[in-house]
Amino acid sequence: KAGVTQTPRYLIKTRGQQVTLSCSPISGHRSVSWYQQTPGQGLQFLFEYFSETQRNKGNFPGRFSGRQFSNSRSEMNVSTLELGDSALYLCASSLVGGGTGELFFGEGSRLTVL
Amino acid sequence: AQSVTQLDSHVSVSEGTPVLLRCNYSSSYSPSLFWYVQHPNKGLQLLLKYTSAATLVKGINGFEAEFKKSETSFHLTKPSAHMSDAAEYFCVVRGGGFKTIFGAGTRLFVKA
């Protein structure tokens, strides 16, 4: 069974640009969540989607958004990039939502903002 | 509200000696608790999980953790460290409301 796939794995952007990251969950998983990992702030929850609906959102500005498609694939978008957005963005899928199931993580998309 | 505190940012052990990584949690309802490991430039891998069944949970690679409700702790242990255990470990709380809280992480160093 294929794992969680994130694309692209690495990308470099400049301040003010926007970026879209993609996540394909494990087949059959309906919940996808996103996390930002930085050396200073650690791992922080961005949002979780279940059945194409955002179920919860972390404390991030509105520049961070996401969506989930009918096949459970998800994208997240960051607009008007800032230097502080440089991070490893991790996606995880879960068989069910609601917070009790185990998360299966992708290898992440490393974003560098210059 | 939920929170997770990993009591040590760094732990250093010698190969073959026991490992103890400490985690305290706070939750207003019965949470699900997890330990994940992250090797450099990799995603997170599940070591073990507690979901209100047995309080002593066995995971992969010889790791185990004990859920102690009275102490609100979920410490991770391994009897004998191996060089390949060197990584960062995260204690995670998940509960109702589709929210996931990560501890700050504990970096484990294993000396030969």
Side-chain angles (χ1 to χ4, degrees):
Chain A
K1 194 183 237 186
V4 178
T5 303
Q6 291 189 246
T7 57
R9 290 290 317 279
Y10 302 91
L11 65 167
I12 299 173
K13 294 285 187 179
T14 56
R15 279 182 298 174
Q17 288 187 311
Q18 73 163 8
V19 65
T20 299
L21 308 178
S22 180
C23 174
S24 293
I26 291 171
S27 178
H29 285 195
R30 296 171 61 192
S31 174
V32 173
S33 51
W34 289 89
Y35 306 86
Q36 182 195 65
Q37 185 175 28
T38 60
Q41 300 297 317
L43 270 158
Q44 294 185 284
F45 169 75
L46 279 156
F47 28 65
E48 179 166 357
Y49 287 85
F50 182 77
S51 294
E52 302 179 63
T53 302
Q54 187 180 91
R55 300 296 178 145
N56 209 335
K57 184 174 163 62
N59 297 324
F60 281 82
R63 301 185 296 108
F64 291 81
S65 63
R67 58 179 176 168
Q68 186 180 35
F69 302 96
S70 58
N71 62 357
S72 295
R73 189 178 71 85
S74 177
E75 288 181 348
M76 68 162 281
N77 183 275
V78 188
S79 63
T80 319
L81 284 166
E82 301 177 358
L83 295 178
D85 297 332
S86 294
L88 180 66
Y89 289 88
L90 290 165
C91 163
S93 75
S94 181
L95 189 59
V96 295
T100 58
E102 71 183 76
L103 298 169
F104 294 83
F105 285 84
E107 301 229 316
S109 292
R110 183 166 295 281
L111 170 66
T112 301
V113 182
L114 302 176
Chain B
Q2 298 179 121
S3 67
V4 181
T5 303
Q6 290 185 241
L7 299 170
D8 307 290
S9 59
H10 297 86
V11 169
S12 182
V13 300
S14 297
E15 193 174 22
T17 63
V19 175
L20 170 64
L21 306 182
R22 298 181 295 166
C23 172
N24 286 353
Y25 71 93
S26 170
S27 179
S28 52
Y29 38 77
S30 296
S32 293
L33 297 164
F34 305 81
W35 276 99
Y36 283 84
V37 61
Q38 185 179 33
H39 289 92
N41 298 313
K42 295 290 188 181
L44 278 69
Q45 180 186 17
L46 178 70
L47 282 175
L48 49 79
K49 62 180 178 182
Y50 167 78
T51 53
S52 76
T55 56
L56 182 62
V57 182
K58 293 190 183 298
I60 63 170
N61 301 335
F63 284 95
E64 62 181 40
E66 186 171 8
F67 173 73
K68 292 187 177 179
K69 187 173 181 179
S70 61
E71 299 175 11
T72 61
S73 69
F74 190 56
H75 300 336
L76 181 71
T77 60
K78 182 173 181 178
S80 176
H82 191 273
M83 295 296 289
S84 61
D85 295 327
E88 187 147 25
Y89 293 78
F90 294 93
C91 182
V92 181
V93 175
R94 302 196 79 205
F98 289 83
K99 205 155 190 178
T100 300
I101 308 296
F102 287 84
T106 299
R107 186 164 294 279
L108 176 65
F109 297 93
V110 182
K111 299 174 288 187

